[in-house]
Amino acid sequence: MAGVREQRQQQHHAMDNSSDDDDEQEGEWEEWGNGGGDDEDEENTKTLCLFCEETLASPETVFKHCVEQHAFDFSKLRAASHLSLYDCLCLINFIRSRVSMDVCWNCGSKYDTRKALLEHLNAVKHTDLPEVTNGVPSWSDEKFLTPFLENDPLLYSCEGDDDEQSEEFDVVDKDKAVRELLEFSSMNKQSIANVVEMAAKDDTSVQGLGLGDSNLADLTKVFLALGDGFWDESTSPTGASVLSNKGISSSSAKIISGTVGDVPALESDVEGENSFGIKEAVVMKKDNKDKKLRVSFAKVAEREMRNANRDYFGSYSAFGIHREMLSDRVRTDAYRDSILKNPALFKDAVVMDVGCGTGILSLFAAQAGALKVIAVDGSSKIASVAQQIAKANGYLKEAGEGKGESRASGVMTVVTGMIEDLDSTMPAPVQGVDVLISEWMGYCLLFESMLPSVLHARDRWLKPGGAILPDTAHMYVAGFGKGGTSLPFWEDVYGFDMQFVGQEVVHDATQMPIIDVVDCKDVVTNSCLVQSFDLVTMKTEDVDFTSEFHLELPSEKERSGFGENNIMTPESANIVCCYGLVVWFDTGFTDRFCREQPVLLSTSPHNPKTHWSQTLLTFREPIALTDSLMDFPKKADIEKIGSKSLPALALNGRLSIARSSRHRSIDISVEISAILKDGLKRTWPVQMFDI
């Protein structure tokens, strides 16, 4: 390679001193580009593997070798992460730098030997980019633009695909498209007016938008009204992409192979100005290549989903949250008992743990006698930690030293990646798992949206009739009183009245759920089951639901422990104020699978607290309830129903929970009505919450 570098330096020197001889310079450049012959061409393309010491014939063979020998697919990672040319250069140099120190490029684990590092890479199979630290990916530092290996052929191999890569994943949102269109001086107000007028003619959804002067806001309204179909592509007989007939007819304008920034250049049927009033000067081709324009608003959602997943798995790479979960004895004991006290279920079974974290459930399964345990986690860092924990405790499956032999020293295999992306790399056959375990529950049961991943694993990997733990989940609501808010605290702070602060806090809580532990004495109504999930049979769409509930005061005896903070009027002990709804869940390890010892994991305020706490949905105003059947005026003022002067006998409501457009979040809506004895009711406007 030193000879090649010397030759290149000589060629550059010759080029610098021969600028007056164009033919000679061109010849030298061509000779340098061709490597000077077949032998030198082979020498130029010989490439050192990213991970081991093997040198192969070309970058292509190195990438193939990395897939087959080191479980690293650079092309797949580049496409999935939408890496630019500069990203690729940084990543390659970053990997070489880390590997030279026997450090894992992804999770940062340090090993004593290169062999130990390679075993780690093959076992964990990193498929994502390294975790983001302090908001900045460590691998993308500009210092990694400097080649780690001089004249590294891998770096040159990245250049060829950059145009196609960047165009394939280019995304244009509507506001950005409009703004860039307006940057062209040739597109004046009259031009925008032409767009608005033309769109309104062809699409009724644009009519009646209340458009004023021709400006950005008007044009944005048009784009939003036309919807994604405005950008839909179809192929003309000549192969050019044309606008769909929604909004703009293909005879008016067509998209040609070329863009101005991220905005499609529009070609007119007549010379001069096109149908949008944009001069033909802005119509250009990019690099004279016939490239197809791709505009996909769906990819915006994909990127948001990918970012949400990265944040989600990144949050679980910190050890604090794992200590919190492991310290939750209610949670951990329930899983331990369901596994260790049902040995017949786990003896010689193939077990999959989805979202394994530190691997505690997998360790329990191995301890219970499982034949094979596959621990899966989307965080590469925590998956590496799980692997080291399994090894330290003698449960990690490792290859033996013998030639042609493989000796297992343990039963656990740790796999990195989202379960939905592991179909081709999972070390188990389809429907080859006997028991599927997962601690998938989030706040309000469904926050973090991990349940669909568990259902995917069930459908893909679980044997027919196989066990899933837990196999049921139930959600409940009840009303909570004043003690469930922060009002009592602010009423007396070292002898000072700070009630107005408490009122502000409660007002804020009407717009955002509160995750907190509610004392059982602050639950002022009966509880009501609002949703049940059977994880054996449910579908992903069942995660979204709407359910009705009915709440009323329990008996006076049951209410005696509520506490004085819930009493609305001292002279009326049976009038209680309900400040909102408290939501919790139970999950069951039922005798359907746990025949030896069924287990119930409950997050109820009536049971010991867990790290999930409860979810509080606060009403805009407290609603007074009574269990008295006293008569009220026949012509009661509806607006006073639920007040202390006209307390309600019961609350009827409807709770809706659905996965949010923001990936891994959930949207919650609450509709509530206060009912009198004679059926007269007062209904409040719907309240929206999100987590």
Side-chain angles (χ1 to χ4, degrees), residues 147-440:
F148 185 81
L149 294 181
E150 192 172 359
N151 297 322
D152 187 351
L154 281 187
L155 302 180
Y156 296 107
S157 71
C158 296
E159 188 173 6
D161 297 330
D162 189 55
D163 288 339
E164 290 81 357
Q165 185 80 4
S166 63
E167 184 169 359
E168 180 178 357
F169 294 106
D170 194 25
V171 175
V172 180
D173 65 30
K174 297 172 181 179
D175 284 348
K176 180 179 178 184
V178 176
R179 291 184 185 279
E180 292 189 1
L181 279 170
L182 290 176
E183 287 177 2
F184 300 110
S185 59
S186 60
M187 189 170 187
N188 53 25
K189 280 192 173 185
Q190 185 57 45
S191 303
I192 303 174
N194 292 343
V195 178
V196 174
E197 181 181 359
M198 184 177 299
K201 284 182 180 179
D202 293 342
D203 197 294
T204 56
S205 62
V206 179
Q207 300 168 8
L209 290 178
L211 304 176
D213 295 334
S214 300
N215 55 25
L216 173 62
D218 285 344
L219 196 51
T220 301
K221 286 181 182 179
V222 172
F223 274 61
L224 293 175
L226 292 174
D228 290 350
F230 178 83
W231 294 101
D232 286 348
E233 292 179 340
S234 58
T235 304
S236 69
T238 60
S241 297
V242 298
L243 287 169
S244 73
N245 59 10
K246 181 176 182 181
I248 306 296
S249 64
S250 59
S251 62
S252 301
K254 54 187 175 182
I255 300 178
I256 65 169
S257 55
T259 64
V260 182
D262 288 329
V263 183
L266 300 171
E267 183 182 53
S268 175
D269 294 330
V270 297
E271 296 182 359
E273 290 191 352
N274 60 29
S275 302
F276 281 109
I278 303 177
K279 294 181 180 179
E280 293 298 338
V282 305
V283 179
M284 60 183 67
K285 290 192 176 182
K286 184 179 179 181
D287 300 329
N288 295 320
K289 294 180 180 180
D290 183 18
K291 295 179 178 178
K292 186 178 182 181
L293 176 67
R294 293 178 173 89
V295 182
S296 174
F297 296 108
K299 284 193 171 63
V300 175
E302 289 177 11
R303 285 188 176 181
E304 290 180 352
M305 184 181 298
R306 187 171 61 255
N307 292 337
N309 287 335
R310 187 169 297 175
D311 292 343
Y312 169 66
F313 291 118
S315 69
Y316 278 91
S317 67
F319 295 117
I321 191 171
H322 292 282
R323 176 172 179 172
E324 181 184 18
M325 292 188 293
L326 292 171
S327 300
D328 184 346
R329 296 300 300 268
V330 175
R331 162 200 181 266
T332 309
D333 285 353
Y335 276 92
R336 183 191 61 182
D337 291 348
S338 68
I339 296 172
L340 296 183
K341 293 185 178 181
N342 290 279
L345 178 63
F346 286 87
K347 180 66 175 175
D348 294 329
V350 177
V351 180
M352 179 179 289
D353 178 5
V354 179
C356 68
T358 56
I360 185 67
L361 306 187
S362 296
L363 293 170
F364 288 151
Q367 192 176 39
L371 177 67
K372 181 177 184 179
V373 180
I374 305 166
V376 182
D377 201 275
S379 169
S380 57
K381 178 179 178 180
I382 207 65
S384 176
V385 170
Q387 184 184 37
Q388 294 179 60
I389 291 173
K391 184 175 182 179
N393 288 276
Y395 287 114
L396 184 67
K397 183 177 182 180
E398 298 180 283
E401 299 289 339
K403 293 183 179 180
E405 297 181 2
S406 178
R407 176 179 53 82
S409 58
V411 297
M412 273 184 63
T413 300
V414 182
V415 180
T416 303
M418 292 181 59
I419 191 71
E420 294 86 349
D421 299 333
L422 297 175
D423 287 357
S424 60
T425 58
M426 186 67 71
V430 174
Q431 295 187 342
V433 171
D434 299 299
V435 182
L436 180 66
I437 58 175
S438 180
E439 196 270 75
W440 53 267

Side-chain angles (χ1 to χ4, degrees), residues 9 43 60 62 106 133 220 248 258 274-275 283 293 306 322 351 524 564 587-588 612 624 631 643 663 672:
Q9 292 172 355
E43 181 68 21
E60 291 74 18
V62 165
N106 192 290
T133 304
T220 301
I248 306 296
N274 60 29
S275 302
V283 179
L293 176 67
R306 187 171 61 255
H322 292 282
V351 180
V524 299
E564 61 181 8
T587 53
W612 287 286
D631 292 327
S643 67
H663 189 49
I672 199 77

